[in-house]
Amino acid sequence: MREPAFWYRPPSWLSRLLMPVGAFYGLIAGLRLQNKGFDAGIPVFCVGNYHLGGAGKTPTVLALAKVLRDLGETPVVLSRGYGGKLRGPIQVDPARHAAVDVGDEPLMLAGQVAVVVAQDRVAGVALARARGASVILMDDGFQNPAIAKDVALIVIDGDRGLGNGQVFPAGPLRAPLSPQLDRTDALIVIGDGTAARTVAAAVATRDRPVLSAISKRTMRRWRRLSASARWRSPGSAIRFAFSGHCAPAESRLPRSACLPITIRFRKARSRR
């Protein structure tokens, strides 16, 4: 389903008309965020976003899985399997499952990392641990209170930001922004756009790291930045590349048109 165009335009009469519904939806969503959730018994990293639609979560999960494996961990991705018919819990097998069974993103991930699909996330955690997981990576589920998260990593598109900033259905937000910011451990801004600056500043004021992701087309710019004071500290960054889905506005492009992306992480204290 394509998102309404008015979500990413200045507030309109339609958005204002839907604001009372959004206020009620936001109240319920905000209350759900306060639930503590099930303790998985192992670290849980959640990669999510504040709004409905794509922003780069899945490729970020792949990149994070690689980093964790390099550190000697055994990550297993936990996904709801949006778009698939199987309720799970089940481990995705690319040789046996199709996108209609488990969803296209879990199927894509399963080619590179172990993936468990489960609409009941607690049952999914049990299966992930039975498969030897030392760390669980949640692909989405930031607003879902079922599982307690040790680290919540939020991805946002620098060109699109949060649109009109209203809660669904008046806008794209899944819940009021403030309680979501309070539960954010780090923010990744993808792209060189300025639409996410306000959100990034709000995260930074909470003393949480704001990270950047750019296309390889602008890697020369990063090389110049790496010589500046901001990035001068040796060993202060981890670089890795990934490619992912286009934003909805670009969904008519072939997948090959989606540029590889490189993320540069500033060194931060471990949250494990």
Side-chain angles (χ1 to χ4, degrees):
M1 183 183 72
R2 189 178 294 275
E3 62 197 19
F6 73 85
W7 281 3
Y8 287 89
R9 294 174 180 167
S12 64
W13 66 268
L14 183 55
S15 177
R16 292 187 177 93
L17 184 65
L18 293 171
M19 281 182 186
V21 181
F24 179 74
Y25 183 95
L27 175 64
I28 301 301
L31 290 174
R32 292 182 76 232
L33 283 171
Q34 297 178 18
N35 295 338
K36 290 186 176 182
F38 173 77
D39 183 356
I42 57 177
V44 175
F45 287 70
C46 177
V47 179
N49 54 20
Y50 299 134
H51 57 85
L52 296 162
K57 296 185 299 294
T58 299
T60 302
V61 168
L62 276 176
L64 187 55
K66 181 182 185 302
V67 171
L68 289 168
R69 281 196 297 247
D70 289 346
L71 294 173
E73 302 291 345
T74 306
V76 173
V77 174
L78 177 61
S79 172
R80 185 178 179 273
Y82 180 78
K85 64 183 181 181
L86 298 180
R87 295 183 58 86
I90 187 169
Q91 183 169 353
V92 179
D93 181 357
R96 186 163 57 96
H97 295 126
V100 69
D101 300 316
V102 296
D104 57 351
E105 292 177 348
L107 189 63
M108 179 187 73
L109 286 165
Q112 301 182 55
V113 62
V115 179
V116 168
V117 162
Q119 293 191 17
D120 180 346
R121 286 183 167 90
V122 175
V125 166
L127 180 57
R129 295 197 63 178
R131 295 293 189 267
S134 65
V135 180
I136 289 176
L137 295 178
M138 292 183 65
D139 184 10
D140 209 1
F142 173 61
Q143 292 82 9
N144 188 296
I147 305 297
K149 291 91 174 171
D150 294 284
V151 177
L153 180 62
I154 303 300
V155 181
I156 188 170
D157 188 324
D159 292 320
R160 288 158 55 82
L162 299 179
N164 62 16
Q166 299 299 318
V167 177
F168 176 85
L173 291 184
R174 300 184 181 197
L177 185 58
S178 181
Q180 296 194 83
L181 291 172
D182 291 340
R183 289 158 179 77
T184 299
D185 293 298
L187 179 73
I188 292 181
V189 181
I190 296 182
D192 295 323
T194 61
R197 282 184 176 177
T198 301
V199 178
V203 171
T205 59
R206 288 167 167 79
D207 198 26
R208 308 292 168 79
V210 176
L211 317 172
S212 298
I214 60 172
S215 68
K216 281 189 172 180
R217 187 176 291 173
T218 56
M219 274 304 295
R220 290 182 181 178
R221 179 184 173 191
W222 274 119
R223 288 170 184 156
R224 291 196 298 269
L225 285 175
S226 66
S228 69
R230 184 180 178 189
W231 302 108
R232 190 170 293 163
S233 175
S236 65
I238 301 172
R239 288 196 186 107
F240 49 89
F242 58 83
S243 60
H245 297 298
C246 298
E250 301 166 335
S251 59
R252 291 186 293 274
L253 295 174
R255 283 187 185 263
S256 60
C258 297
L259 295 173
I261 295 172
T262 296
I263 281 185
R264 183 178 178 91
F265 284 86
R266 280 182 284 179
K267 200 170 185 178
R269 291 178 297 175
S270 172
R271 289 298 306 276
R272 180 163 183 180

